[in-house]
Amino acid sequence: MVVQSKHFLNTSTSLVLDSLKGLCVLNPHLAIDPTTRVLHLANPDRSQVALVCGGGSGHEPSHSAFVGQGILSAAVCGNVFASPSAYQVRRAIDLVSNDAGTVIIVKNYTGDVLNFGLAKEQYAAIHPGKSDRVKFVIVGDDVAVGREQGRIVGRRGLAGVCLVYKIAGALAARGGSLDEVYAIAEQISSHLGTIGVGLEHCHVPGTAVPDTHLGNNELEIGLGIHNESGHRRVSPVPPLSELVLNLIQMITSTADPDRSFVPFKNDGTDCVVLLVNNLGGLSELELGAIVGEAKNALDKQGIKAMRVLAGSFMTSLNMPGFSITLLLLPGTEVDNAISTHFILSLLDDPTNAPGWKWSSKSEPKAITERTSLASVDTSPLSSESSLRAPDVRSFETAIERACDALLLAEDEITDMDKIAGDGDCGLTLSAGASSVLKVLSQGVIIGDDVVSSMIAISRVAEEKMGGTSGALYSIFFSSLAQALARSSAAVATTEVWSSALKSALARLYTYTRARPPSRTLIDPLTAFVDALPTGFEGAVLAVQDAAERTKDIEAKAGRSAYVEGDWLKGQKVPDPGAWGVKVIVEALAK
């Protein structure tokens, strides 16, 4: 895969500060010290414990977007993937200085620990009377690196730290003491496990595009949030259900002492908070599927998810990947002061921090699935018409050939649509072809009843293809069925088909403004209908010519109409929808 290396920015050096200023526009409760790049509460409650965190930028919304009532008091922002200096951190402590004390929370990376730790010690030296009013929490939740390999550096800090921020910050907002806030931060930190996976590394603005990257069918498990290589590479990319179950087991397994970091009992009594984190470049569509599979995997393990959170929490710029975090909640034997109920109530407390994601604040319920009333009816259709094909078997095999041809052409049509449209035409036609083959195999499409067969194809186009193409095909085949049903003939001859196709095209024209030449599927479809009365061979040639000529036609309809005309003509790419019609007709003619 190619690393996405283009970015929207003024300059790579100004990006961090520009982003922080944008957060202040978004949330008027925030303020910024531009010299030190510290984002902080504009009017903090100085009777409450302050929470200070930070690190390198590029992990947004961590850490700056979590500054807000009920989470963080201040965030210190270094350059991309680079720890801020001790001077910056000291400035943050001063900006939120208070009577109750300050808890500094850092991810376990050498630069962060050293610079934030140095700032704490310097602050204590400058303010000896407050030396005991600043506490230091290091969060390491990674489970990818075993104890032996990481015996010196320890576990890396990943998305789990966000749960520490939220829970400790909520307790501080309730008026918890310094010791209480520190204790719950340590408690949460010690019961976290996180594992990440990526399809590719990310690109740091202002740097060269990396030479090494993952293959097209390869992913990396256990990678870090600073482009560090992972625990292992896997190829081919496994199904999502298999991948997510493997990741969950890496967190929950206690079989290997070197990799067992969280004290799961795995006896059916474990309860967790599940956090599914977008590492920056993942689509919301994929993220939803991952959340569902993570819940399924926990159910299989006998682990109860008490809360589920999902979204971008700790990113790695534009990395196409995700991480899964589990917070193991206390059992009944734990002191009631830090009970499961207490932790969940803190997690549920409101906040105005712009980066914190919505959650249901309740235990997820079983998914209720209702059978669609509009599902494709796979029972043989009966029509009032008794119109049959001249050769029943040839009719059925011709439809099968057309579907097979569309499946083979999927990649070619998709490549065309990536240039001329939105990139989904090949997938749409392939979905329709696969579904037609299915109902064909079930005896729904039969040569003994061409009218019911056209109705079946119309239903498939409507329900399985979707989009503009699905609607066009569905209207056309539904209209074709109506026209065929009006025929008094017993056999669907070329003349019968020609008349019905002409009627169906006229009906289709009432729903679309596209007329030849339009650089759409209408072009070859119209050519076919017009030429068929003179013979099928000539109709095929007309379709081929019309589809080829879409390379040089200005788009007047369809998605191509939104693409710059001269550029599109220069690409010499035919319209993908038109090409799909060509593939179908050529297969029918064989």
Side-chain angles (χ1 to χ4, degrees), residues 46-51 73 96-103 130 132-135 178:
R46 300 192 187 275
S47 69
Q48 297 176 352
V49 172
L51 266 66
S73 308
V96 296
S97 179
N98 61 84
D99 299 328
T102 300
V103 176
K130 296 182 178 181
D132 62 344
R133 308 306 295 161
V134 179
K135 301 285 189 180
L178 178 63

Side-chain angles (χ1 to χ4, degrees), residues 155 174 544 587:
R155 299 163 66 192
R174 289 186 184 184
Q544 292 171 334

Side-chain angles (χ1 to χ4, degrees), residues 45-60:
D45 186 339
R46 300 192 187 275
S47 69
Q48 297 176 352
V49 172
L51 266 66
V52 173
C53 80
S57 297
H59 305 302
E60 290 69 24

Side-chain angles (χ1 to χ4, degrees), residues 123-279:
Y123 184 85
I126 297 170
H127 306 282
K130 296 182 178 181
S131 60
D132 62 344
R133 308 306 295 161
V134 179
K135 301 285 189 180
F136 199 76
V137 178
I138 302 173
V139 180
D141 53 315
D142 184 21
V143 300
V145 180
R147 285 185 171 84
E148 178 61 26
Q149 183 179 346
R151 63 185 182 276
I152 296 177
V153 295
R155 299 163 66 192
R156 293 176 295 192
L158 301 175
V161 72
C162 301
L163 295 176
V164 180
Y165 296 157
K166 179 62 180 71
I167 292 168
L171 182 55
R174 289 186 184 184
S177 69
L178 178 63
D179 288 340
E180 288 171 335
V181 174
Y182 172 75
I184 203 164
E186 288 282 4
Q187 164 76 16
I188 300 304
S189 177
S190 64
H191 286 73
L192 288 169
T194 299
I195 185 72
V197 60
L199 298 172
E200 186 51 88
H201 289 194
C202 65
H203 176 256
V204 177
T207 67
V209 180
D211 296 327
T212 58
H213 44 75
L214 299 174
N216 288 332
N217 200 18
E218 186 176 34
L219 58 74
E220 197 162 28
I221 293 176
L223 74 176
I225 55 174
H226 304 102
N227 260 352
E228 310 101 307
S229 294
H231 167 60
R232 71 177 188 272
R233 293 187 175 191
V234 177
S235 181
V237 174
L240 183 60
S241 57
E242 178 184 325
L243 172 63
V244 171
L245 180 60
N246 182 25
L247 298 178
I248 293 288
Q249 290 173 340
M250 290 181 70
I251 301 173
T252 61
S253 175
T254 57
D256 182 1
D258 188 52
R259 293 187 177 278
S260 175
F261 294 101
V262 186
F264 280 92
K265 294 180 180 179
N266 292 312
D267 61 358
T269 65
D270 294 322
C271 295
V272 298
V273 172
L274 166 66
L275 186 153
V276 179
N277 172 58
N278 186 346
L279 281 168

Side-chain angles (χ1 to χ4, degrees), residues 371-378 403 407 424-440 442 445 455-474:
T371 302
S372 172
L373 297 177
S375 58
V376 174
D377 185 0
T378 58
C403 293
L407 293 175
D424 69 343
C425 188
L427 293 172
T428 299
L429 291 173
S430 175
S434 297
S435 298
V436 169
L437 285 173
K438 181 178 179 180
V439 295
L440 179 66
Q442 294 168 337
I445 297 174
I455 294 172
I457 294 173
S458 173
R459 288 182 178 179
V460 167
E462 173 196 358
E463 299 176 22
K464 300 302 181 181
M465 291 176 65
T468 301
S469 294
L472 290 172
Y473 274 97
S474 184

